[in-house]
Amino acid sequence: CDGIFLYMPDMTASIENQLSNYILASMMATFMNLSMVIMDAPPDSNIKSSSPLGCPRHHHKTMPPVLSSLLRHPKWLSRSCPVPCKKNHGYSDWNSLRKSSTN
């Protein structure tokens, strides 16, 4: 797959903001003619999130706060592309690269 838009949702944001940002990212990927691939934080990460869907905080262990658990990402938008370099780069690697970017 060439031309991938790697979308990493801000898991600390409210679910409303995550969905709004997803819609914006999908429009950007469409207009740039890129395959949009979602990379959620792994369930064992130390990210503190807002309560998903209004569930009490004690349910967080049974319901991980990941955006992909709430929506069905269409194959036409991802063009069936996988997360790039998945064997060599995990979530923390891509997140470090994202944070160090000056663009």
Side-chain angles (χ1 to χ4, degrees):
C1 292
D2 292 330
I4 291 180
F5 184 102
L6 182 61
Y7 177 64
M8 299 175 69
D10 178 7
M11 303 314 290
T12 61
S14 68
I15 199 63
E16 294 87 2
N17 286 340
Q18 289 184 46
L19 290 172
S20 177
N21 291 336
Y22 170 81
I23 292 169
L24 178 60
S26 63
M27 289 187 338
M28 290 171 58
T30 300
F31 286 114
M32 292 188 292
N33 197 27
L34 298 173
S35 304
M36 182 175 152
V37 178
I38 299 175
M39 184 175 215
D40 283 315
D44 61 345
S45 67
N46 293 328
I47 297 174
K48 304 293 185 215
S49 68
S50 56
S51 182
L53 300 177
C55 294
R57 288 212 177 270
H58 65 275
H59 286 252
H60 279 223
K61 291 179 183 173
T62 58
M63 182 179 181
V66 294
L67 183 63
S68 60
S69 67
L70 301 176
L71 55 89
R72 191 173 359 178
H73 188 62
K75 288 195 184 269
W76 62 263
L77 188 53
S78 69
R79 300 174 188 168
S80 298
C81 292
V83 172
C85 306
K86 196 168 189 173
K87 291 181 182 177
N88 303 333
H89 290 76
Y91 180 85
S92 60
D93 299 315
W94 284 114
N95 198 36
S96 296
L97 183 62
R98 179 185 63 84
K99 288 180 178 180
S100 69
S101 177
T102 57
N103 296 359

